[in-house]
Amino acid sequence: MKTREPSVFFSGAVVLTCALSLLLNGCGTDNEVMISGDFSEAYSNGRFVVWTPKQRDDTESQGASMMMAASTSSSSAPSIEDSIDIVAEAPINADGEFTLTTEVVQPHRVYFYVLDATTAEGMKLAPTKGQQFILEPGELTITMDQNRQFTVAGGHFNDEVINSWKQSDEYVAAQQARRRLRTTPEGETEEQYRTRIDELSALSNELLELEVAGLSSVATNHKEPQVRKLALQVSWLVGDWYWEALVALADDMPEDEWVKAKSIEAKERIEKELAQSRIAIGTEIVDFTAEYLNGESVTLNELQQEKSLVLLEFWASWCGPCRLEIPHMKKAYERFKDKGFEIVSFTIDNSKEDWESASEEEDLPWPNLGMGQEADAAKKYSVTGVPANYLFDASTGTIIELDLRGHKLDEVLEDKLL
């Protein structure tokens, strides 16, 4: 098995086919779908798992939270399968292939994992979050490149929601350029390295902008309400367009429970955002109260005492760019912490299990707070996407820089603290 660069995507191919009667009659009584795939470029074992998030009522969620809070370090960590509802699964054979059958009552968003996979050396491979597509009757192929970035071919809803922007010439060209820049040239100097990293960062931002532009266009302008709904459901980088599209969709799908609930939330959010002042360079930071993983409360004001510069970092376990930046942040923290530099991280994860697991994997050495996009901290800073960070002067509380990454963070700290 070839060595692959870490990424937030999986590699492989999945094919979903309906029987001929599905095409002729709009899917039969059982709506059976065959799923087959080839993951040979990345896997020669493990399980292919199609899943949706586990649905819990308020009582069950509260009970789960109490049990987690009462657990001790000696108790076994909950498994991934405790927090998901498995739609279908199949073993991956030594050739990286699998087949399974499942049903599709109606098109809906699903995720997939590869679980229990190991390298040729026997090292366990952690499942990567974020792979989502639309499970729908018909023939669907999901393919991924060596960097584990996937494309979807076939299927009306996948074509309209995803392919309409993800297979555009502009997006494909940006992906190719990013793959080229990820390769370190032989004999690269420090100056060349910094230039390449800056170009790579710009391309990553361009890809995110293209994704937002693509999904927002579909969610706002598509003639089919169901397509607009699915585009909103697969969107994870949300902004004003997201909430405005939800409000508009409620007029076309007044009986849809998901749309009704989300449109109410959207109207409330729009009203709050109109009342909030914009967080920008030169404005003062806003204090908030949050909790450590052990449940202890603390305020941002308390953490900035006796510090010179504080980097307030919003992140999430599922955010690939956030976690790729953490090793560099650790180096900067070790270098400047004795000179008055502090990092305060806040996760917008809605699952404590995910936050705790990612925190243990990353071994964060600074104050690590949470959690959720609806938490006080995230709301006060209008955080709708991550990564996002704010560097502020602890003595005055004034924001002096936004969204510092890589060597740009180093340069500011060198200028201010050395």
Side-chain angles (χ1 to χ4, degrees):
M1 183 173 64
K2 298 179 181 178
T3 301
R4 300 298 183 196
E5 183 177 354
S7 173
V8 296
F9 297 105
F10 270 72
S11 100
V14 182
V15 178
L16 290 84
T17 59
C18 269
L20 181 59
S21 62
L22 300 181
L23 301 176
L24 297 176
N25 304 315
C27 283
T29 303
D30 294 332
N31 292 340
E32 188 175 80
V33 178
M34 182 180 72
I35 306 176
S36 60
D38 179 359
F39 280 17
S40 58
E41 291 188 16
Y43 300 99
S44 58
N45 54 48
R47 293 184 291 141
F48 171 76
V49 178
V50 179
W51 61 277
T52 57
K54 184 176 288 294
Q55 300 298 314
R56 292 173 175 165
D57 59 29
D58 291 341
T59 302
E60 185 179 355
S61 297
Q62 291 173 4
S65 299
M66 293 175 64
M67 290 177 64
M68 183 173 291
S71 64
T72 65
S73 58
S74 62
S75 62
S76 59
S79 70
I80 285 176
E81 292 173 70
D82 292 332
S83 61
I84 66 176
D85 286 326
I86 296 177
V87 176
E89 66 171 288
I92 299 173
N93 64 27
D95 294 325
E97 299 174 346
F98 63 87
T99 59
L100 60 84
T101 58
T102 188
E103 295 181 351
V104 182
V105 176
Q106 62 180 357
H108 63 285
R109 177 197 50 187
V110 293
Y111 300 84
F112 68 88
Y113 281 148
V114 172
L115 299 180
D116 302 332
T118 59
T119 65
E121 296 76 24
M123 182 170 59
K124 186 175 182 179
L125 296 173
T128 304
K129 297 180 183 293
Q131 307 92 335
Q132 55 180 330
F133 64 100
I134 298 166
L135 190 64
E136 58 177 309
E139 186 172 334
L140 176 66
T141 302
I142 303 176
T143 57
M144 284 123 178
D145 62 22
Q146 60 183 359
N147 292 310
R148 297 175 179 177
Q149 295 167 345
F150 70 87
T151 57
V152 182
H156 171 69
F157 291 106
N158 281 284
D159 281 343
E160 296 301 313
V161 173
I162 300 172
N163 289 344
S164 55
W165 56 269
K166 200 170 185 179
Q167 293 185 354
S168 68
D169 291 342
E170 189 176 10
Y171 191 89
V172 171
Q175 287 279 30
Q176 292 172 342
R178 185 168 69 170
R179 286 194 290 271
R180 174 177 55 80
L181 288 170
R182 280 176 169 170
T183 303
T184 303
E186 185 176 352
E188 183 179 49
T189 65
E190 177 64 22
E191 183 178 358
Q192 290 171 332
Y193 167 76
R194 292 192 173 195
T195 298
R196 180 169 62 86
I197 293 302
D198 285 345
E199 292 177 357
L200 186 58
S201 176
L203 271 173
S204 296
N205 289 335
E206 179 183 346
L207 285 164
L208 291 177
E209 290 172 0
L210 288 171
E211 179 172 349
V212 171
L215 285 171
S216 63
S217 178
V218 174
T220 304
N221 303 316
H222 202 281
K223 63 182 180 181
E224 297 180 41
Q226 181 70 3
V227 169
R228 302 206 305 273
K229 173 187 173 181
L230 289 167
L232 290 169
Q233 289 181 322
V234 302
S235 299
W236 61 277
L237 289 167
V238 302
D240 291 343
W241 64 269
Y242 179 89
W243 307 110
E244 292 167 1
L246 270 168
V247 172
L249 184 60
D251 293 333
D252 291 330
M253 304 183 75
E255 301 305 317
D256 187 286
E257 294 299 326
W258 183 86
V259 174
K260 282 196 292 186
K262 296 296 288 186
S263 64
I264 292 172
E265 178 187 346
K267 291 175 182 177
E268 294 175 348
R269 182 177 288 267
I270 289 172
E271 291 175 359
K272 289 179 181 179
E273 289 184 352
L274 288 174
Q276 288 178 336
S277 60
R278 186 172 181 270
I279 301 294
I281 293 175
T283 64
E284 291 188 6
I285 56 116
V286 182
D287 193 26
F288 59 82
T289 301
E291 293 184 354
Y292 294 99
L293 274 164
N294 63 9
E296 179 184 349
S297 295
V298 68
T299 66
L300 180 61
N301 182 60
E302 290 172 330
L303 295 173
Q304 74 188 70
Q305 299 302 313
E306 301 182 1
K307 303 296 181 181
S308 298
L309 295 177
V310 177
L311 184 72
L312 174 59
E313 171 81 10
F314 288 92
W315 72 299
S317 66
W318 43 259
C319 172
C322 301
R323 299 188 65 169
L324 287 173
E325 184 67 16
I326 288 175
H328 180 85
M329 291 171 63
K330 282 185 172 181
K331 291 179 181 178
Y333 187 69
E334 182 64 27
R335 183 181 177 192
F336 293 101
K337 66 179 181 180
D338 292 335
K339 300 183 184 299
F341 177 54
E342 182 63 278
I343 296 177
V344 177
S345 64
F346 186 95
T347 178
I348 65 170
D349 275 297
N350 290 316
S351 163
K352 188 172 182 181
E353 175 189 340
D354 290 343
W355 172 27
E356 185 171 26
S357 176
S359 298
E360 290 176 355
E361 291 171 4
E362 302 296 351
D363 190 23
L364 302 181
W366 49 74
N368 175 28
L369 310 176
M371 60 176 221
Q373 198 166 348
E374 296 302 316
D376 185 38
K379 283 187 174 181
K380 285 182 174 178
Y381 284 82
S382 300
V383 176
T384 56
V386 287
N389 67 39
Y390 310 85
L391 183 71
F392 65 89
D393 185 322
S395 63
T396 65
T398 303
I399 296 174
I400 59 176
E401 294 288 350
L402 300 175
D403 298 323
L404 291 171
R405 299 286 165 215
H407 67 84
K408 292 187 181 296
L409 173 62
D410 296 338
E411 290 169 356
V412 173
L413 295 179
E414 289 168 358
D415 179 61
K416 301 291 185 181
L417 298 179
L418 295 184

